[in-house]
Amino acid sequence: MNDYVIISDSTMDMPNEFVLENNIEVIPMDFILDGKEYKNYLDYREIDFKDFYDQLRKGARCSTSQISIQTTIGTYEKYLRDGKDILGIVFSSGLSGSFNSVRLACSELKEKYPDRKIMLIDSKCASSGEGLLVWYANEFKKSGLSLLDCYNKTKELVNKLCHWFTVDDIDTLRRGGRVSGGAAFAAKTLNIKPVLHVDDDGHLIPIYKKIGRKSAIRAIVNSYEKLRDTNIKQMIIISHGDCEEDAKYLESEIKKITPDASFMISKIGPVIGAHSGPGTLALFFIGTKR
């Protein structure tokens, strides 16, 4: 019986229409913008997407927090009470303590609901990389796979899900401790745009330093051409921190390489955007390795 629900969190940065159409439960994560608390809903009901990034551009400070044990219990339990099993796909443990919170919550829930199954995947992914993993899990579920088979096939993709992105605002990475003050000053002076990826452990790793935005985007395209899995029809997600034109340009460049791929352009929400900043541009796809 295919009676289970996929639950993720709002760092998945997918269009709200996708989760509504597919009955995916998404836990909204919390953030604080200039002292005011918000929840990161995918429909931006508490703060407009462009307003959020405009405030960052004006110097607003934003902090985020991990999913709490109590929030997880409240979300998961309503499905367990209804007799449904759960596949949980969670924000990378290499970037947040959320996975550990969810794991602890599920330990409590398994004692209370011993007849129900809860299977958790540490996505080792961020933003729409996590979203792409959820997309594949949903495709497996729609094809009729059992919870166990869906879990196994989704988990097989974790270390093949490639994240490549560049940021426009180096000061955001500096404030987050990703680069030093001296390196940030040099990057701004020389117009250096870092290109980063997420490694097998779910950590954010700088790979290239490119002069100018177009050069950084070209490095992302080259990484896709080198690493993509040519044995599958790609589902490609491009996400952006309020730089839609750059996202469309990146899409056009990738289409030159794989015109038969499927594409989705999504928005980078406040929880991820707080750490990557305005102008972040990211590409997610399945590779032969990360």
Side-chain angles (χ1 to χ4, degrees):
M1 186 176 180
N2 194 344
D3 198 15
Y4 60 96
V5 62
I6 298 171
I7 301 180
S8 190
D9 51 73
S10 58
T11 56
M12 68 187 286
D13 288 342
M14 291 287 274
N16 193 53
E17 295 76 16
F18 167 77
V19 300
L20 292 178
E21 289 170 3
N22 294 286
N23 298 312
I24 294 166
E25 180 72 39
V26 179
I27 298 174
M29 292 178 69
D30 299 325
F31 65 98
I32 299 175
L33 183 65
D34 266 3
K36 184 176 179 181
E37 295 183 10
Y38 298 88
K39 287 190 180 296
N40 178 190
Y41 289 100
L42 295 183
D43 62 3
Y44 295 92
R45 70 185 69 168
E46 293 196 353
I47 185 169
D48 179 73
F49 172 74
K50 290 189 70 67
D51 183 36
F52 170 75
Y53 280 104
D54 284 344
Q55 290 195 48
L56 289 189
R57 291 185 180 100
K58 293 174 183 176
R61 295 300 179 95
C62 188
S63 61
T64 61
S65 58
Q66 66 191 45
I67 300 170
S68 72
I69 294 175
Q70 292 75 19
T71 298
T72 302
I73 290 174
T75 303
Y76 280 42
E77 191 167 24
K78 63 184 180 182
Y79 292 101
L80 298 172
R81 277 198 303 262
D82 287 343
K84 293 184 181 293
D85 296 328
I86 292 171
L87 175 62
I89 300 176
V90 189
F91 185 33
S92 172
S93 63
L95 296 170
S96 168
S98 291
F99 181 76
N100 190 51
S101 292
V102 174
R103 183 183 59 80
L104 291 172
C106 289
S107 294
E108 291 187 29
L109 289 168
K110 286 176 181 178
E111 291 183 6
K112 189 173 181 180
Y113 298 93
D115 295 330
R116 299 269 55 84
K117 295 178 182 177
I118 307 173
M119 306 196 79
L120 291 182
I121 295 177
D122 178 357
S123 71
K124 306 291 180 73
C125 294
S127 190
S128 299
E130 181 182 353
L132 184 53
L133 198 65
V134 171
W135 185 89
Y136 276 103
N138 185 61
E139 289 296 299
F140 297 147
K141 182 175 184 286
K142 287 195 300 184
S143 74
L145 291 190
S146 67
L147 172 61
L148 179 59
D149 289 339
C150 183
Y151 167 85
N152 287 333
K153 285 186 72 68
T154 303
K155 197 168 183 180
E156 285 175 5
L157 293 176
V158 168
N159 283 337
K160 295 180 180 180
L161 211 155
C162 299
H163 305 55
W164 286 89
F165 67 101
T166 186
V167 302
D168 201 42
D169 179 15
I170 196 72
D171 282 332
T172 305
L173 292 183
R174 176 186 59 79
R175 288 193 293 269
R178 299 295 177 183
V179 298
S180 67
F185 176 78
K188 291 175 72 174
T189 302
L190 299 173
N191 195 29
I192 293 173
K193 303 297 181 183
V195 177
L196 308 93
H197 88 141
V198 175
D199 69 7
D200 286 347
D201 296 318
H203 298 125
L204 198 62
I205 307 294
I207 302 296
Y208 304 119
K209 297 176 182 178
K210 296 296 179 178
I211 305 297
R213 179 77 160 180
K214 285 291 177 69
S215 180
I217 294 174
R218 174 48 52 188
I220 293 174
V221 173
N222 291 341
S223 297
Y224 170 76
E225 189 165 22
K226 177 182 177 182
L227 292 170
R228 75 189 193 282
D229 186 342
T230 58
N231 294 315
I232 65 168
K233 182 182 177 185
Q234 289 283 349
M235 174 62 189
I236 294 166
I237 302 180
I238 296 168
S239 63
H240 66 94
D242 199 22
C243 55
E244 188 175 6
E245 289 305 310
D246 284 346
K248 290 178 179 177
Y249 171 74
L250 178 56
E251 179 185 32
S252 69
E253 292 299 294
I254 297 298
K255 280 183 176 177
K256 293 175 184 177
I257 300 169
T258 46
D260 64 334
S262 298
F263 287 85
M264 181 186 295
I265 292 180
S266 65
K267 298 172 180 177
I268 297 173
V271 171
I272 299 296
H275 302 284
S276 60
T280 300
L281 181 65
L283 176 71
F284 307 95
F285 59 94
I286 300 299
T288 54
K289 61 178 181 177
R290 281 204 176 185

